[in-house]
Structure formats: C-alpha cells, structure tokens
C-alpha cells in the first residue's frame, strides 16, 4: 500500500489507511482491501475554522474500484477543541448526516439531497467525519472574497432552504418523538446558553470586532456619525445582544423548523451547466444547526451571502422564492396548516430586529424597548459588524487565519486590521448600516 500527499503540508497522523478502510467498509458492509490513496488539504486558510478538511482519492479491491472522499477532522487542540465541546458540534453534525438528512430527503422530491453522502464518523483518535467528495461530483464553492453571490445563485439557495425547512416540518409532524428529537438535539446553535456570556470565547472575539469597527469606521466620512454614536452605546451589552440574536427559539416564534444555522458562502457548494449557470446547490457543515424560527436561516443567509446590490434591492424577491419552495413541498404532502407569506415575513423581521419582550413591528420596537427598559437585538446588525468582516476578509498569504489565531492577541489584531479595513467590506457595510438605521434597527 502506498500513500502520497500534494503540496508541502503533511497529512496529520490520524489520517490513515485504517480510517479509510473503516469508512469504505462501513458504507459497503463488506471487507475492503486498500491498494493506495492520495490526499491533501481541501480548503484554503479562512475557509474553515472549527475543522481541518482533506480530500482523499483511494483505490481498493485490487485497483478495480476508486472513491473520492472528504475527511472533516476536528482535533482537540487549543481553543478550538474546547469550543467544539461547548457547541457539541461533532455529535450534532454526525447524527444530522447519518440520521436526519436521509429522512428529510425521503420526505421531499425524489433524489433531493441536503448534504453529501456520509460514510463514517469516529472519535478515535480524533473527531472525524468522512463524506463523499462533492467536488468529484462537479460541485464547487464560490470565492468568498469576490463580494458575495448574485441573484441566480441565491435563488437556488432560497429554494433549497425552503425545501429543507419544509422537510423538517413534515418530519416533526410525523410523531411526537420526532418533534422532541429536533427540539432537544438542536436546542441551540451558535451559542450554548449553559455557558455564561462573559466566558464564551467566540463572543469575546466578536466584542473585539465591534471595538475594531468603531476605531476604523469613525474615520469614514460616508458613514453617518449618528450610527457610530449608537454603536458606541452597544459596547457594554454587545455580548448579551449577540447571544440573544442567535437564540433560535423564543416564545414569540410562530413557526418551528430545523435551521442549518451557518449558511454563508463557504457552506454552499454549486454545480453548473456547460454555460457556467448555477443549476444545483448543496449545503455543507451542519455543526451549528438549531431548531426554531425560519427567520434565523433567512436573515443569516440574506445578510451574509448576497452581493451588495442584491442585498439592498432583491430581498423581497428572494423571500418570495423561499416561500414558494416551502409551500410547494408542504402542499404536495398535504400538510395540515401551511403558513402564510405574512408569517414568513414576520419571522424574518423578528430576527432582523427584535425586542426581548415584544412582538411589535420594527417601526414601533424602539419605543417599546425603551418603555420596557430592555435591550433590543438585531441578527442583521450582528451579521454586518461581526460576521461579514470575517466572511469578506481579503486573502493574505503571510497571515495565519486559523481558529486559534483569533485567540492570540497579536495575531488577532493583525487579522482584524485586514478584515475591517477591507475595501469590499467597507463598500458593503456602509449602505447596510444606513438601511438598518433608517428602519430603527440600531439603537
């Protein structure tokens, strides 16, 4: 048996023939003999944070058969290992791929897939999930540094989210046990409420991001000074506001679905026709999935993924695409109570901006929140100030942008310099903040 790697980066010691053999045998349910395999890093720096991802090409059974695999490894190192434990990311993602997604696929259009085929999952010697390699099937990521996705790509994304959410509704309606499984297994995504806000390291990273934004944006003449002033007042409560904004479930939620939880450009892979027109999209990375309002996935994806002009002018169109997809699946399955488009728009607005104890329209939420003396939260604002700088970070070969680098003070400050001074980020975030402010979503 022989192995080889491509590029200068050596494979980790846990990416072994034994792992590949177990993966194939688990899928094929028979003994397999590995002849040879080649492997290498599957992503660039900044494309993944909680995992190391490797492509594998394996020949087996005397060279008569070949498979292209992807190994997603989550080693217990540094702050990354502790964060994986807090978020329960491995257990959640492995059970999602093995148990939940296949059941969802059977509830919608025949042949519909919500993720790559999963071959194997293990914690020995490190947390690893082995998938079919979507690149070998013609799927590829869009470059996250090119300013976002155009309308054609986002149409596919909205249709896919609609089908995914609908499948979760059908699954929950099948039995009390199914609904309880979703509610308990996916009770949180981005933030584990059992952790104290002040002790959760990712919130500290985002807090530093707000500080950096304020130091940089104060010198932007095109950004309204009133916005900067209001953002300054958020500093003492920003961590709590983030925690509130990513809470997938609250008493005001009318509609409950399984959210992917982290739909940004690098967790979307597209397949194209001969003319480079996007024809199909596949979701990857279900580590942060959560059960609650569909507003979470909708706001998160429609703030983090689109090109600037699409975000500012086509959101209503994209919400309509989502609704048609959702309702078509539910109608075909004779679902008892299909939500109206108005309910979907209300769930979206609830996550764009919400006051803790109110379900008022955005135009009146400011007065209500002042009367209640409770802070308001905006997932849209969190995306604009905390997530978009990371997503749109311009590439730099001499900068370490691994997960652990965000917790090294010197490296993290250098990373933030690049993120918040990025030309594309500045062009996108200024009109986005103006739009949020004009609608009363920054206070």
């Amino acid at each position: 048996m022989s192995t080889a790697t491509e590029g200068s980066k050596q494979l980790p010691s846990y990416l072994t023939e034994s792992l590949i053999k177990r993966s194939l045998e688990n899928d094929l349910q028979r003994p397999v003999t590995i002849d040879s395999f080649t492997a290498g890093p599957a992503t660039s720096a900044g494309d993944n944070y909680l995992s190391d991802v490797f492509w594998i090409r394996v020949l087996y059974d005397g060279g008569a058969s070949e498979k292209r695999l992807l190994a997603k490894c989550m080693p217990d190192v540094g702050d990354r290992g502790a964060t994986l434990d807090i978020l329960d990311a491995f257990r959640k993602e492995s059970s999602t791929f093995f148990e939940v997604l296949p059941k969802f696929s059977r509830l919608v259009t025949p042949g519909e897939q919500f993720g790559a085929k999963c071959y194997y999952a293990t914690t020995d010697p490190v947390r690893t999930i082995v998938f079919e390699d979507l690149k070998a099937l013609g799927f590829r990521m869009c470059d996250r540094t090119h300013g976002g996705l155009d309308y054609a790509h986002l149409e596919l994304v909205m249709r896919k989210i609609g089908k995914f959410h609908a499948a979760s509704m059908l699954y929950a309606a099948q039995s009390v046990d199914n609904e309880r499984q979703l509610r308990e297994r996916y009770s949180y995504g981005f933030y584990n409420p059992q952790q104290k806000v002040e002790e959760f390291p990712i919130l500290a990273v985002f807090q530093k991001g707000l500080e950096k934004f304020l130091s940089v944006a104060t010198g932007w003449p095109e950004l309204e000074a009133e916005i900067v002033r209001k953002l300054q007042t958020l500093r003492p409560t920003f961590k709590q506001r983030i925690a509130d904004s990513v809470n997938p479930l609250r008493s005001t939620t009318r509609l409950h679905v399984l959210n992917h939880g982290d739909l940004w450009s690098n967790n979307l892979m597209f397949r194209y026709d001969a003319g480079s027109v996007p024809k199909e999209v596949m979701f990857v990375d279900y580590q942060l999935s959560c059960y609650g309002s569909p507003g979470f996935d909708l706001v998160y994806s429609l703030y983090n993924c689109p090109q600037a002009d699409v975000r500012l002018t086509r959101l209503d169109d994209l919400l309509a695409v989502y609704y048609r997809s959702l309702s078509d699946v539910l109608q075909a399955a004779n679902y008892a109570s299909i939500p109206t488009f108005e309910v979907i728009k209300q769930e979206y607005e609830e996550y764009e901006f919400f006051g803790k104890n109110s379900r008022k329209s955005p135009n009146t939420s400011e007065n209500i929140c002042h009367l209640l003396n409770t802070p308001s939260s905006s997932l849209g604002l969190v995306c604009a100030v905390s997530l978009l700088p990371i997503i749109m970070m311009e590439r730099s070969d001499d900068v370490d942008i691994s997960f652990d680098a965000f917790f090294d003070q010197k490296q993290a400050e250098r990373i933030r310099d690049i993120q918040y001074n990025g030309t594309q980020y500045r062009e996108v975030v200024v009109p986005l903040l103006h739009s949020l402010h004009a609608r009363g979503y920054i206070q």
Side-chain angles (χ1 to χ4, degrees):
M1 202 282 299
S2 63
T3 66
T5 63
E6 289 191 4
S8 58
K9 185 175 180 179
Q10 289 297 112
L11 294 179
S13 59
Y14 47 78
L15 200 62
T16 63
E17 177 186 352
S18 174
L19 172 67
I20 298 169
K21 178 180 173 66
R22 282 178 281 153
S23 299
L24 292 178
E25 290 181 342
N26 187 65
D27 178 61
L28 298 172
Q29 293 295 296
R30 64 172 177 81
V32 168
T33 301
I34 304 296
D35 298 297
S36 65
F37 73 90
T38 54
T43 57
S44 303
D47 289 344
N48 289 84
Y49 290 100
L50 287 175
S51 311
D52 297 327
V53 185
F54 301 91
W55 61 263
I56 302 168
R57 178 178 176 269
V58 55
L59 297 176
Y60 62 100
D61 289 351
S65 300
E66 176 184 337
K67 285 285 185 183
R68 296 284 296 275
L69 306 174
L70 202 73
K72 183 175 184 177
C73 307
M74 309 172 208
D76 187 10
V77 294
D79 290 290
R80 180 167 53 168
T83 302
L84 286 165
D85 288 336
I86 292 170
L87 296 177
D88 198 18
F90 172 79
R91 183 198 61 83
K92 180 185 290 184
E93 184 165 37
S94 58
S95 65
T96 299
F97 273 99
F98 269 118
E99 301 173 27
V100 176
L101 297 189
K103 294 175 182 177
F104 281 15
S105 293
R106 290 192 288 269
L107 290 171
V108 295
T109 309
E112 185 74 41
Q113 281 186 271
F114 295 111
K117 180 180 180 181
C118 190
Y119 284 83
Y120 187 60
T122 183
T123 58
D124 181 22
V126 302
R127 291 166 286 210
T128 302
I129 308 177
V130 180
F131 304 95
E132 184 173 32
D133 188 352
L134 290 175
K135 287 184 179 179
L137 301 178
F139 288 89
R140 67 178 187 266
M141 289 181 186
C142 294
D143 192 324
R144 63 178 176 80
T145 67
H146 286 179
L149 303 178
D150 62 19
Y151 187 83
H153 285 82
L154 286 163
E155 255 192 316
L156 290 176
V157 175
M158 288 297 106
R159 288 196 193 110
K160 195 77 167 186
I161 299 175
K163 291 179 181 180
F164 180 68
H165 287 178
S168 71
M169 293 169 67
L170 296 175
Y171 180 74
Q174 285 183 330
S175 71
V176 173
D177 286 342
N178 284 0
E179 196 279 334
R180 182 171 58 246
Q181 176 197 40
L182 294 178
R183 177 165 32 88
E184 293 178 354
R185 181 179 295 176
Y186 302 96
S187 61
Y188 62 86
F190 202 89
Y191 166 69
N192 184 343
Q194 294 182 358
Q195 291 287 306
K196 293 181 179 179
V197 167
E198 292 301 321
E199 296 176 0
F200 193 52
I202 293 179
L203 297 184
V205 170
F206 288 164
Q207 177 77 36
K208 290 286 187 181
L210 174 64
E211 308 275 349
K212 187 65 178 182
F213 177 85
L214 290 169
S215 69
V216 170
T218 300
W220 293 350
E222 71 273 28
L223 182 62
E224 294 177 16
E226 179 67 6
I227 293 176
V228 176
R229 185 192 68 77
K230 287 185 175 180
L231 291 179
Q232 290 278 5
T233 66
L234 299 184
R235 294 167 68 177
T237 60
F238 193 58
K239 290 180 184 178
Q240 185 61 57
R241 289 169 185 258
I242 296 172
D244 291 340
S245 72
V246 300
N247 176 12
L249 194 61
R250 58 183 66 92
S251 60
T252 53
T253 298
R254 298 183 182 184
L255 182 62
H256 298 82
V257 303
L258 181 61
N259 288 274
H260 175 280
D262 193 18
L263 283 173
W264 65 293
S265 55
N266 276 26
N267 287 335
L268 304 165
M269 296 187 72
F270 296 90
R271 185 152 57 183
Y272 299 82
D273 67 10
S276 298
V277 175
K279 291 297 183 182
E280 188 177 354
V281 63
M282 194 77 77
F283 296 163
V284 301
D285 197 344
Y286 283 85
Q287 293 178 332
L288 302 179
S289 297
C290 51
Y291 188 62
S293 170
F296 186 93
D297 266 352
L298 292 173
V299 172
Y300 194 97
S301 59
L302 290 176
Y303 267 75
N304 290 326
C305 295
Q307 293 175 349
D309 61 328
V310 176
R311 185 185 293 108
L312 293 175
T313 64
R314 302 295 301 273
L315 291 191
D316 286 345
D317 296 334
L318 289 167
L319 284 175
V321 170
Y322 164 83
Y323 179 71
R324 286 194 297 272
S325 177
L326 176 88
S327 57
D328 284 350
V329 172
L330 295 177
Q331 188 172 22
N334 297 315
Y335 188 76
S337 182
I338 300 174
T340 65
F341 187 41
E342 283 304 310
V343 167
I344 297 302
K345 289 194 292 185
Q346 287 171 357
E347 293 296 332
Y348 179 85
E349 290 171 354
E350 180 85 7
Y351 270 82
E352 247 196 327
F353 176 93
F354 66 88
K356 282 184 178 178
N357 297 318
S358 66
R359 191 182 179 88
K360 303 295 182 179
S361 67
N363 292 332
T364 62
S365 57
E366 183 172 2
N367 291 332
I368 294 294
C369 289
H370 282 309
L371 288 172
L372 294 172
N373 196 29
T374 57
S376 59
S377 303
S378 167
L379 182 57
L381 179 61
V382 170
C383 291
V385 174
S386 300
L387 294 172
L388 273 176
I390 299 172
I391 291 169
M392 300 187 70
M393 180 179 178
E394 297 170 3
R395 298 191 187 279
S396 181
D397 293 336
D398 63 341
V399 177
D400 178 9
I401 50 176
S402 65
F403 183 84
D404 288 329
F406 283 94
F407 300 95
D408 179 283
Q409 185 174 348
K410 185 175 181 180
Q411 292 187 80
E413 184 59 27
R414 190 179 180 198
I415 291 170
R416 283 191 287 270
D417 277 336
I418 298 172
Q419 290 172 341
Y420 287 89
N421 286 291
T423 302
Q424 284 190 348
Y425 172 65
R426 180 170 174 174
E427 291 174 352
V428 166
V429 76
V430 170
L432 190 54
L433 289 175
H434 284 164
S435 175
L436 286 166
H437 187 241
R439 291 177 289 152
Y441 292 3
I442 302 176
Q443 54 181 258

